[in-house]
Each structure stands twice: as structure tokens, then as C-alpha cells.
Amino acid sequence: MIPDNKTKLVGVIGHPIIQSFSPLIQNLAFQIRGLNYLYLPFDVPATNLKEALTGITALGIAGLNVTIPHKVKILDYLSDISEEASIIGSVNTIVNDNGELRGYNTDVIGVNETLIPFAESIRNSEVTVIGAGGAARTAVYCLLRNFKPSRVNVVNRTLQKADSIKDYFTAKMIFRGIKTFELLPPDLTGLFANSSLIINTTSVGMYPDNDDAVTTIAESFSSGQIIFDMVYNPMQTKLLAIASERGAHTVGGLKMFVEQGAASFELWTGAKMPKEAINEALGNALAELNTQ
Ligand code: ATR
């Protein structure tokens, strides 16, 4: 579709933005649904975030996805925030409603859809979330709200950020079972081994750094565990490969990525994303990139 004077512009802001597959899935979905929209990536460093949002209103950009590292900070610049995004403290989707910028969190739909098949294993058990950014806040919220684990370990490189998640959700969700740890893999082997579910919410292991993993200690994993890596590129991260070799059930970030994108698409257009076609195109594109 060639853009014209009726084309609605949407996009993603983040930094860096080089490896985002959102333009691929959103533009393909617009094309399949016959919608006159165009989706572009915008590389916006943190120092330009406020100005970028002023520009979005001025230019009449219809909506945005928000990614690393802006998902938390962006709350300061929005006119309105959905109740859920406000509780989580993280926004990944903006709708420009006649100059009013409204924030939503569709990542929570992606996390929820990914974890539903494992609900029974999670209930009343110990789980671990690695990371303490917006994606980790979404994971902790979703676990406490919908899956009722007995204990949630939040593990992060910067302990202070894990502590602030703990303080926030202990008060907000009235749950006393959040524990925090610094990300020091040899010390955490036992903690990981005791967790029925481990979620990596950090970008460690993301293309092109395919050889990185938050832990490479195989004894952290065993059969009966679920390891969910939010990284979707590569589809099988090093973390998942190590866990899988130990017999754990591994889940990549592809489903979450498509589900959050589909929910954003619906907020902007009112239409359903054609998920089957999108999954196929995305799978092909990722496979091609990782064989280059
Ligand atoms: P998002 O909103 O997508 O979660 P973010 O707020 O930038 O993104 O958070 C990124 C998370 O990945 C943080 O927990 C970060 O750890 P710090 O709080 O210590 O910065 C974690 N992270 C990023 N790169 C990392 C690395 N190389 N090793 C360990 N953790 C890393």
C-alpha cells in the first residue's frame, strides 16, 4: 500500500530499536486487513522522550508501541493511563485520541496468554522473575493477579530496583511473598532449582548477543520446570537451550510478542490481527535472520 493523505501513522519508540520485528507484523496485518496505516520504528534516546511525545501530538501520529527503555518513564508524559497499566507502572501502547495520549499495557495480555497452559504448575508454588524493568513489573503483576504462586523471587543485576518492585507490589497487591536477590548466578542455583517457573524479562541473550544467558549453570534447571524467556529473537535463546537439555519445558517470547502486538493493533484499528498469517511470516523472518 502506498501512503497517501489519509494514511494513519503508527510506530514504536525505543532505544536501540534496530532489531524490532513490530514493523513487520503490524504492516503485514494492516495489509491483510486492508487498513490504510503505516508502522515505523523511531529510535528515541531517553533524553528526547518528552520532545518525541510533543511531536507525536503535533504530527497527529495515531498511536505508538513503547519499548526498552521507556516503558516506565513514559507514564509521566501521558494524559490518561488505563487502570491496569497504572497499577503495573508500565505502558507499552499509546493511543492518540484527538490529542490526548492514552497509555495501555498489552504486554500483560501476552504474559497471560503464554502462562495460561501452566496455571496448575504455578499455583501455590515458588516462581522466579529475572529483571526489574517494565517487563518484570508486568510479569509480577500478572502472576499475582491471575496465577497465585506462593512466593515470587525477583532477581536483578541492580538489587535496589528489585527491592522497589517488592515494596510496590507488596503494598499494592497485598502479597507478602516477594523476595529479592542480586543476579549472581553461582549463588542462585538453588533458588532457580526450587522454582516451578522462571521468567527472563531482561534483554540478555537477544540477537545479536545469542551466546549470552542470565545463567549458564545447568544445575539450575530440571524436568518439571517451566522456563519462559521473553526474548523472541532468537526463538531459542541460550537460556532455553541449556534448560531444555536438562529436560525443562521451555517457552520462547514469540507468543507474547504476537499477543501484545495483536492487542495494540486492536486498540488502534478496532480490527483483529490475523494471528496465523503473522505467526507464519514472523517464524520465517526469524529463521532466515538466524541462519545468515
Ligand atoms: P523493560 O521495560 O523492557 O523491562 P528496562 O526497564 O530497561 O526494560 O529493564 C531491563 C532489565 O534488564 C533490567 O532489569 C536490567 O537490569 P538493571 O536493572 O540492573 O539495569 C536488565 N538487564 C539489561 N541488561 C542486562 C545485563 N547485561 N545483565 C543483567 N541484566 C540486564
Side-chain angles (χ1 to χ4, degrees), residues 68-69 71-72 131-136 156-158 161 183 201-204 214:
I68 293 176
K71 286 179 183 180
V72 177
N156 196 43
R157 180 175 63 180
T158 314
K161 278 173 72 183
L183 180 60
T201 74
T202 75
S203 51
V204 179
V214 279

Side-chain angles (χ1 to χ4, degrees), residues 231-276:
V231 171
Y232 64 88
N233 180 17
M235 286 185 276
Q236 178 159 32
T237 59
K238 179 155 186 178
L239 178 76
L240 295 186
I242 296 167
S244 170
E245 261 185 35
R246 295 275 298 174
H249 187 95
T250 58
V251 185
L254 209 63
K255 187 179 174 79
M256 175 178 167
F257 177 63
V258 173
E259 292 292 343
Q260 63 78 33
S264 300
F265 181 87
E266 203 168 333
L267 281 169
W268 298 321
T269 67
K272 299 269 183 217
M273 180 177 266
K275 283 190 229 167
E276 240 174 67

